[in-house]
């Protein structure tokens, strides 16, 4: 994937996340989503359509021409946009007016366009609609890489919007329960995706540093730093959302084994080899607050292995008994460099201290690194 395109997509997703969480008018957020989508795809027109109860889709936001003329336009459930909104895969075609999958449903207002792509807006149970982009007839079709980036962007933007809109669902759940749900979704979904994307960009930068112009490498570095800062801001938002009233409630338990497998799988993709994962004890009913601390420690430790260690082996051990849960992450790399910012490790030490646990780090160029994080249950 073109690293510049990936960086642009990540910057756009970060901006939308920030906007959606700042109590902006939902219409303004939708406008920002479709504008960024059109820019990423280099499209002449972008439409964001939401799904109605009868499975038709309605244009809610527009970027480009014919602009306001298509706001409120309704497309049938059988159209490509309607099918994607209902759960189908992304659709792409070189000419929306001649492809038999799309031609019967092209409204007059869109008949002057050719290349077309439709990506689901949101994912799974949070699929809100569809994001479509168009180019004028005779233009170059959308590439597979562009459609891949558009699909990832539309999925993440939809999840963010769903989380933000959740704050208005007070008729279904109490305010405190809703805040906790948003906090958990932000922590488990958005932070993980931003973390993985940041790791991928960092890997690209390090592997191709000799081929990048110095300015391009600097821009990639800035994008990675911005992602790290955004992750910390979201974590701060999560902490602010969680009120003392919620902490006194019995929150749902977490399957920490499944979370650990997901984190290790992402790290393996970035390292080029699978870390060894050892699980011991009952990990399916860990209190949510304890599980959050362990996940944060595992993610930070694996992030350091990916970014700095140059390791060829990594072992993750997670052990639970009646009294505590213990995490160990070992690698045979060159240790954590002295000139590397250790903000994440300081946060882990603060987490352990605040929750009555223990954290320690043992790192050397000859022996590699050991990160240990223990919490009482």
């Amino acid at each position: 994937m073109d690293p510049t395109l990936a960086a642009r997509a990540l910057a756009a997703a970060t901006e939308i996340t920030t906007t959606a969480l700042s109590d902006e008018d939902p219409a303004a957020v939708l406008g920002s989503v479709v504008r960024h989508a059109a820019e990423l795809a280099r499209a002449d027109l972008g439409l964001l359509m939401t799904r109605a109860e009868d499975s038709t889709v309605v244009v809610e936001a527009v970027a480009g021409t014919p602009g306001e003329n298509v706001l409120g336009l309704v497309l049938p459930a059988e159209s490509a946009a309607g099918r994607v909104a209902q759960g189908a895969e992304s659709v792409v075609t070189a000419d929306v007016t001649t492809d038999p999958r799309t031609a019967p449903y092209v409204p007059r207002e869109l008949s002057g366009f050719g290349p077309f792509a439709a990506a689901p807006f949101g994912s799974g149970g949070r699929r809100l609609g569809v994001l479509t982009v168009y180019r004028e007839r005779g233009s170059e079709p959308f590439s597979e890489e562009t459609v891949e980036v558009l699909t990832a962007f539309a999925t993440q933007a939809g999840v963010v919007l769903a989380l933000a809109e959740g704050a208005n669902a007070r008729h279904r759940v109490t305010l405190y329960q809703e805040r906790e749900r948003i906090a958990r979704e932000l922590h488990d979904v958005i932070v993980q995706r931003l973390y993985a994307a940041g790791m991928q960009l960092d890997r690209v930068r390090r592997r191709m540093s000799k081929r990048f112009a110095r300015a391009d490498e600097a821009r990639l570095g800035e994008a990675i730093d911005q992602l790290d800062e955004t992750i910390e801001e979201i974590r701060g938002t999560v902490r602010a959302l969680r009120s003392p009233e919620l902490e006194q409630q019995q929150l749902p338990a977490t399957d920490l084994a499944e979370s650990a497998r997901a984190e290790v799988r992402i790290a393996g993709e970035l390292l080029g080899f699978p870390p060894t994962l050892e699980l011991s004890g009952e990990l399916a009913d860990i209190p949510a607050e304890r599980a959050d601390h362990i996940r944060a420690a595992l993610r930070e430790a694996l992030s350091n292995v990916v970014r700095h260690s140059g390791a060829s082996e990594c072992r993750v051990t997670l052990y639970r008994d009646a009294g505590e849960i213990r995490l160990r992450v070992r690698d045979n790399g060159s240790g954590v460099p002295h000139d590397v910012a250790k903000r994440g490790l300081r946060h882990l030490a603060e987490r352990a201290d605040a929750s009555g646990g223990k954290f320690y780090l043992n790192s050397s160029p000859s022996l590699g690194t050991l990160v240990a994080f223990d919490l009482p249950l």
Side-chain angles (χ1 to χ4, degrees):
M1 179 180 295
D2 178 1
T4 302
L5 179 60
R8 287 170 51 217
L10 289 167
T14 300
E15 179 182 323
I16 289 166
T17 300
T18 303
T19 303
L21 295 174
S22 62
D23 294 327
E24 288 283 343
D25 179 3
V29 179
L30 292 178
S32 178
V33 170
V34 73
R35 176 175 56 82
H36 280 299
E39 291 173 354
L40 288 171
R42 301 193 185 280
D44 297 305
L45 174 68
L47 303 179
L48 196 156
M49 309 180 197
T50 56
R51 187 175 61 174
E53 291 184 2
D54 60 359
S55 294
T56 60
V57 286
V58 183
V59 177
E60 298 283 356
V62 181
T65 55
E68 301 297 325
N69 294 337
V70 295
L71 271 178
L73 188 67
V74 179
L75 274 66
E78 298 78 18
S79 65
R83 295 195 305 273
V84 171
Q86 293 173 63
E89 298 294 323
S90 298
V91 173
V92 59
T93 179
D95 194 329
V96 70
T97 63
T98 60
D99 190 313
R101 298 174 299 169
T102 57
Y105 311 104
V106 178
R108 175 181 53 81
E109 294 88 345
L110 302 176
S111 59
F113 294 95
F116 164 82
F121 183 55
S123 64
R126 296 188 176 280
R127 185 166 293 194
L128 306 179
V130 59
L131 194 56
T132 62
V133 290
Y134 303 76
R135 287 176 181 164
E136 293 181 357
R137 187 175 298 164
S139 300
E140 180 181 356
F142 295 104
S143 67
E144 181 179 345
E145 181 180 61
T146 296
V147 175
E148 180 183 350
V149 170
L150 178 69
T151 300
F153 171 76
T155 298
Q156 182 168 333
V159 171
V160 170
L161 264 292
L163 295 175
E165 289 177 355
N168 296 319
R170 294 180 180 89
H171 63 284
R172 291 182 285 115
V173 291
T174 68
L175 171 62
Y176 292 135
Q177 289 171 329
E178 189 66 11
R179 283 163 60 119
E180 172 62 21
R181 183 187 68 77
I182 294 171
R184 291 188 60 77
E185 292 277 5
L186 283 171
H187 186 278
D188 297 346
V189 179
I190 304 302
V191 167
Q192 185 178 49
R193 289 181 180 175
L194 290 176
Y195 158 78
M199 293 297 96
Q200 289 169 339
L201 275 182
D202 190 53
R203 190 182 183 195
V204 168
R205 181 182 63 173
R206 288 185 285 108
R207 285 190 170 187
M208 301 182 66
S209 60
K210 294 182 180 179
R211 296 169 58 184
F212 280 133
R214 181 169 298 178
D216 290 335
E217 184 177 5
R219 279 194 290 269
L220 266 180
E222 290 173 3
I224 294 167
D225 291 341
Q226 289 173 5
L227 281 172
D228 287 341
E229 291 175 4
T230 300
I231 288 172
E232 289 306 319
E233 289 171 0
I234 292 176
R235 285 175 174 164
T237 301
V238 169
R239 288 190 292 271
L241 284 169
R242 286 179 167 156
S243 64
E245 290 85 350
L246 277 172
E247 294 175 0
Q248 295 169 6
Q249 297 179 16
Q250 183 63 43
L251 299 176
T254 298
D255 185 351
L256 196 53
E258 186 59 32
S259 296
R261 293 187 187 101
E263 298 293 344
V264 168
R265 182 173 60 252
I266 291 174
E269 293 172 358
L270 300 171
L271 287 166
F273 64 87
T276 301
L277 176 62
E278 297 180 0
L279 304 174
S280 179
E282 180 54 61
L283 299 169
D285 61 346
I286 303 300
E289 180 262 344
R290 304 275 100 175
D292 285 348
H293 289 315
I294 295 295
R295 270 198 300 260
L298 176 56
R299 187 173 294 159
E300 182 63 33
L302 290 175
S303 172
N304 283 322
V305 176
V306 172
R307 288 186 172 185
H308 310 302
S309 72
S312 60
E313 295 179 7
C314 177
R315 180 179 297 274
V316 176
T317 305
L318 199 54
Y319 171 81
R320 183 256 175 97
D321 61 20
E324 68 176 354
I325 184 164
R326 306 171 198 158
L327 170 68
R328 301 289 184 274
V329 179
R330 297 178 174 86
D331 69 69
N332 66 345
S334 57
V336 180
H338 292 294
D339 59 347
V340 167
K342 295 179 178 152
R343 178 176 55 190
L345 295 174
R346 287 199 302 271
H347 286 169
L348 293 188
E350 292 168 2
R351 277 178 179 266
D353 185 62
S355 54
K358 298 177 182 177
F359 166 79
Y360 62 87
L361 170 72
N362 188 354
S363 181
S364 74
S366 58
L367 299 177
T369 300
L370 167 65
V371 172
F373 194 88
D374 300 340
L375 285 182
L377 293 173

